[in-house]
């Protein structure tokens, strides 16, 4: 299911229009954290650097042992604050998580807590197929803006053209 609209006419309810303005990015995610999202225990993505002031459509590459491009997570605009405030958000969401997030970002002047709004999982594309279709593929360490990589964006859109295997809206930002 592709959540973007192909209509040139704006939606009366604004639902479809918001999908069009999200910045498409590719980021890797450890499957452990992906499982925490589905369990309702992870409601923010914490990063050392990220985009500010905009919503993002995150095409998720799940790292080994899954090694597959197979999900989309819609993210709200990042909360940008001091490492301690970002760690406080992590602790509030899941008791005991604040310390590890603080350790991850403590050396920075600011860090990012990005609200997870919606998650959609697809059958996906394994690493070997990604490499075959693109000639080469190296999962990003940070994030990759897909507007700068049209071939990779096309593969991501191809993966999300399949029917989803599961989806959910995340509450409680």
């Amino acid at each position: 299911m592709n959540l973007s609209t192909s209509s040139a006419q704006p939606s009366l309810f604004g639902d479809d229009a918001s999908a069009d303005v999200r910045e498409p990015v590719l980021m890797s995610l450890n499957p452990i954290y992906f499982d925490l999202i589905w369990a309702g225990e992870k409601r923010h993505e914490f990063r050392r650097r990220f985009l500010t002031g905009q919503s993002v459509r995150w095409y998720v590459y799940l790292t080994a042992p899954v090694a597959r491009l197979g999900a989309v997570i819609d993210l709200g605009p990042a909360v940008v604050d001091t490492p301690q405030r970002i760690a406080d958000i992590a602790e509030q969401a899941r008791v005991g998580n604040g310390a590890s997030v603080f350790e991850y970002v403590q050396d920075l002047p600011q860090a990012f807590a990005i609200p997870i709004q919606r998650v959609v999982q697809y059958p996906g594309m394994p690493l070997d197929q990604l490499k075959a279709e693109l000639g080469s593929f190296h999962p990003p360490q940070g994030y990759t803006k897909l507007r700068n990589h049209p071939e990779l964006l096309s593969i991501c859109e191809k993966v999300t053209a399949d029917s989803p295997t599961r989806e959910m809206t995340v509450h409680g930002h």
Side-chain angles (χ1 to χ4, degrees), residues 32-73:
I32 293 167
Y33 300 117
F34 190 62
D35 292 342
L36 287 173
I37 294 170
W38 288 107
E41 295 180 39
K42 179 174 172 61
R43 296 187 306 266
H44 288 83
E45 175 64 14
F46 299 99
R47 293 283 168 150
R48 293 175 56 86
R49 61 184 187 85
F50 200 67
L51 304 170
T52 57
Q54 60 186 310
S55 297
V56 171
R57 169 139 304 149
W58 170 12
Y59 291 90
V60 181
Y61 176 80
L62 294 168
T63 60
V66 175
R68 170 181 296 275
L69 176 65
V72 171
I73 299 177

Side-chain angles (χ1 to χ4, degrees), residues 46-129:
F46 299 99
R47 293 283 168 150
R48 293 175 56 86
R49 61 184 187 85
F50 200 67
L51 304 170
T52 57
Q54 60 186 310
S55 297
V56 171
R57 169 139 304 149
W58 170 12
Y59 291 90
V60 181
Y61 176 80
L62 294 168
T63 60
V66 175
R68 170 181 296 275
L69 176 65
V72 171
I73 299 177
D74 286 337
L75 301 170
V79 174
V80 184
D81 211 327
T82 64
Q84 185 58 60
R85 290 284 300 126
I86 297 303
D88 291 347
I89 291 170
E91 184 66 24
Q92 185 178 33
R94 188 164 49 101
V95 175
N97 194 36
S100 64
V101 168
F102 185 73
E103 184 178 321
Y104 173 58
V105 299
Q106 68 183 344
D107 61 323
L108 302 171
Q110 65 183 23
F112 300 82
I114 311 136
I116 297 169
Q117 297 177 329
R118 183 168 174 74
V119 186
V120 184
Q121 187 170 5
Y122 298 90
M125 185 178 292
L127 180 59
D128 59 344
Q129 188 178 350

Side-chain angles (χ1 to χ4, degrees), residues 134 143-156:
L134 293 166
Y143 64 89
T144 300
K145 285 179 144 184
L146 290 170
R147 291 185 206 274
N148 300 334
H149 302 275
E151 283 184 60
L152 188 51
L153 177 57
S154 176
I155 295 293
C156 291

